[in-house]
Amino acid sequence: MSAPVTPAPARPAARRRPGPGWVPRQHGAWAMLVVPTVVGATLGGWRWVHALLLVSWLVAYLAYHAAGLWLKARRRARYRPPVVAYGTAACILGVALVATAPHLLAWAPVFAPLLALSLWASVRRADRSWWNDAVTVLAASLMTPVAASLGSGASGPPGAPSSGLTSDVLLATAVLLAYLLGTVVYVKSMIRERHDPRVRRASVLYHAGIAAAGAVVHPLLLAVGLALTVRAALVPVRWPGATPAALGAGEIVATAVVTVAVLVV
C-alpha cells in the first residue's frame, strides 16, 4: 500500500510590480528637485503657496519622467498610462498654481525650451547624455528664484516676476547649479563612465574649481568644496562597485550639507 502523497505547499502569489514609468529609479533626483525650491522659499520667505509649488513641481517631474520613457520606447501603449495620469494631475495643479500666482507664467519661456530639449533627448535616446543632464540640472536650479519670487519678503511690486531676484538668491542659484553640475560628473565617474580615467580626473578638477571659487565667496563654501573634491578623488578608487542606491543616498547627504552651507552663507 503506497504512502499518501502530501500536497506541496502553495506558493505565495508573486508581488506585482508597477508598470514602467510609474516609479522613477533615479535615487538622487529627489534631492535635486526639492532643495532648490526649499532654498528659494527660505530666502524669499515661506508662504502656503510654496507647498502648492513643491507638489506641482514633483508631480510635473513624474509626468516628465513618464513621458520621457514613453518617447524613448517609441510610444508603446504599455508606457502610456503613467503619462496620462501624471500629466493630468500636473495640468490640474499647474492651473491652480498659476491662478494663485499669475506672475509665474513669466517663467514659461524659460522652462519650455528646456523641457522641449530634454524630451527631444528622450526621442533620440540621448536622455543619459552629458548635455541633457546639464539641461535638467539647469531647470532644477532655476526653481530657486522661482520659489523666491513667491516669498513673503520678496521686494518689488506685488506679483512682479523678478521680485525674488535678490543678490542672495542669485548667489544661491549659482552655488546650487555648480554643485548639481558636479554631481553629474561625479555620478558618471562612478557608473556609466567608471572605466574612463578621464572622467574621474575631470570630476576631481571640477570640484577643485568649485572649492577655489568658494574661497572667494565664503570659507564655508571653501570647506564644502574641498570635501566634495576629496569625495570625487577617493570614492571611485576605494568603492568602485558602489550601487546606484548607495550613490543616491550619498548624494542626499551631500546635498543636505550644501543646502545648509548655502543658507548659512
Side-chain angles (χ1 to χ4, degrees):
M1 188 174 180
S2 60
V5 178
T6 304
R11 293 183 179 181
R15 190 173 183 179
R16 190 173 183 180
R17 294 183 178 181
W22 288 104
V23 181
R25 296 182 180 180
Q26 288 82 1
H27 300 87
W30 298 106
M32 181 181 74
L33 292 167
V34 172
V35 165
T37 304
V38 170
V39 169
T42 302
L43 294 177
W46 280 91
R47 295 175 57 218
W48 69 269
V49 72
H50 284 113
L52 179 58
L53 174 67
L54 184 57
V55 172
S56 301
W57 177 240
L58 294 178
V59 174
Y61 167 72
L62 293 174
Y64 154 79
H65 174 265
L69 289 180
W70 178 60
L71 292 172
K72 187 177 179 181
R74 301 293 188 261
R75 298 181 291 278
R76 294 178 187 169
R78 64 191 296 257
Y79 287 83
R80 191 180 302 125
V83 178
V84 175
Y86 289 140
T88 302
C91 288
I92 294 173
L93 289 169
V95 169
L97 181 62
V98 170
T100 305
H103 80 267
L104 290 181
L105 283 175
W107 288 98
V110 178
F111 282 90
L114 299 178
L115 176 61
L117 279 173
S118 193
L119 291 179
W120 181 75
S122 296
V123 173
R124 303 285 297 176
R125 297 194 174 186
D127 50 304
R128 299 287 186 174
S129 62
W130 289 84
W131 68 266
N132 186 54
D133 288 341
V135 167
T136 56
V137 164
L138 177 59
S141 301
L142 287 175
M143 288 301 292
T144 307
V146 170
S149 71
L150 293 173
S152 60
S155 59
S162 61
S163 59
L165 295 179
T166 65
S167 58
D168 287 344
V169 172
L170 293 176
L171 175 61
T173 304
V175 172
L176 290 176
L177 176 61
Y179 163 69
L180 293 174
L181 286 174
T183 65
V184 172
V185 190
Y186 168 68
V187 171
K188 285 189 181 295
S189 74
M190 291 293 299
I191 301 180
R192 299 181 68 86
E193 309 288 347
R194 62 181 178 273
H195 299 302
D196 190 341
R198 296 173 299 176
V199 178
R200 186 164 61 249
R201 288 194 295 268
S203 177
V204 175
L205 291 174
Y206 179 86
H207 287 93
I210 288 181
V216 178
V217 180
H218 195 279
L220 183 57
L221 294 181
L222 169 62
V224 173
L226 290 175
L228 293 174
T229 304
V230 171
R231 183 187 69 163
L234 185 62
V235 174
V237 177
R238 294 293 300 273
W239 297 281
T243 64
L247 289 175
E251 284 302 303
I252 291 175
V253 174
T255 304
V257 173
V258 172
T259 301
V260 173
V262 168
L263 293 178
V264 168
V265 172

